[in-house]
Amino acid sequence: MKDYAELIRGDKVRANTPPEINQAIDTEIASTVRFYASKTGYEIGKRIEELNKEWDIERYIEADAAVFSIIGAVLGIKWNRNWFILPIIVAIFLLQYAVQGWCPPVYILRRIGIRTRQEIDVEKYALKDLSGDFDDLLYKGSSTDRKKNTVSESGIL
């Protein structure tokens, strides 16, 4: 894969995230790819399995929305009707996220390093490239040449 940046083009969350947070996430991806460049195919495969199970920011937003809506509804029923405002606020945030790719919880989640699906996929595809999954499609050289090429490109973004 020649240009990993193509995988994240058009990502609304990245577009609405401060550049320093995006840069920190990009740096972490690049260092992880460099770390795995010297690992075995088995170790790379285990990391790819971890990436397949990693929650992306959208999943966190959806889970948080469900939890806070339930909490607001239960508290509204049990204690005070004013708690019914919580599910309304959560619904507004969820709509804002769907339309703009941003809502207040996104800033907090990005700050603690939660990645978008596209960012997770960048790491995954770079690791697949390291392990040789794309050899038949892209490379004519040796596996050492492939690893050097992938690692040198993993300034990734």
Side-chain angles (χ1 to χ4, degrees):
M1 183 150 302
K2 285 290 186 203
D3 189 6
Y4 294 107
E6 281 294 315
L7 294 173
I8 57 168
R9 184 164 290 153
D11 186 334
K12 287 182 181 180
V13 172
R14 280 186 67 88
N16 289 296
T17 299
E20 64 274 5
I21 295 174
N22 286 336
Q23 184 59 45
I25 290 170
D26 296 346
T27 301
E28 182 64 28
I29 292 169
S31 68
T32 301
V33 171
R34 277 190 222 97
F35 173 78
Y36 279 94
S38 63
K39 301 298 180 188
T40 66
Y42 175 77
E43 292 168 311
I44 293 172
K46 293 301 268 181
R47 177 63 183 154
I48 290 171
E49 285 178 29
E50 290 172 10
L51 292 171
N52 287 334
K53 294 175 185 174
E54 183 176 333
W55 280 30
D56 61 32
I57 196 161
E58 188 168 321
R59 193 167 183 187
Y60 276 101
I61 293 289
E62 291 167 351
D64 288 348
V67 167
F68 284 110
S69 292
I70 291 169
I71 288 171
V74 168
L75 291 174
I77 291 168
K78 293 276 186 183
W79 280 280
N80 186 327
R81 295 176 56 112
N82 290 336
W83 281 104
F84 286 125
I85 193 76
L86 186 58
I88 294 169
I89 292 170
V90 168
I92 291 168
F93 283 172
L94 204 52
L95 178 62
Q96 181 182 18
Y97 179 76
V99 172
Q100 297 177 335
W102 186 89
C103 63
V106 168
Y107 180 78
I108 296 164
L109 292 171
R110 294 290 284 170
R111 178 88 41 209
I112 62 173
I114 304 301
R115 302 188 291 178
T116 66
R117 175 53 44 200
Q118 290 90 339
E119 290 165 338
I120 295 166
D121 286 345
V122 164
E123 182 178 335
K124 183 168 63 173
Y125 292 135
L127 292 173
K128 284 179 176 247
D129 195 8
L130 280 176
S131 69
D133 286 2
F134 303 127
D135 280 358
D136 293 339
L137 301 172
L138 301 173
Y139 298 106
K140 304 268 189 250
S142 70
S143 66
T144 304
D145 292 339
R146 179 187 77 263
K147 285 187 176 187
K148 284 180 184 175
N149 189 27
T150 300
V151 169
S152 70
E153 290 175 0
S154 71
I156 292 197
L157 309 168

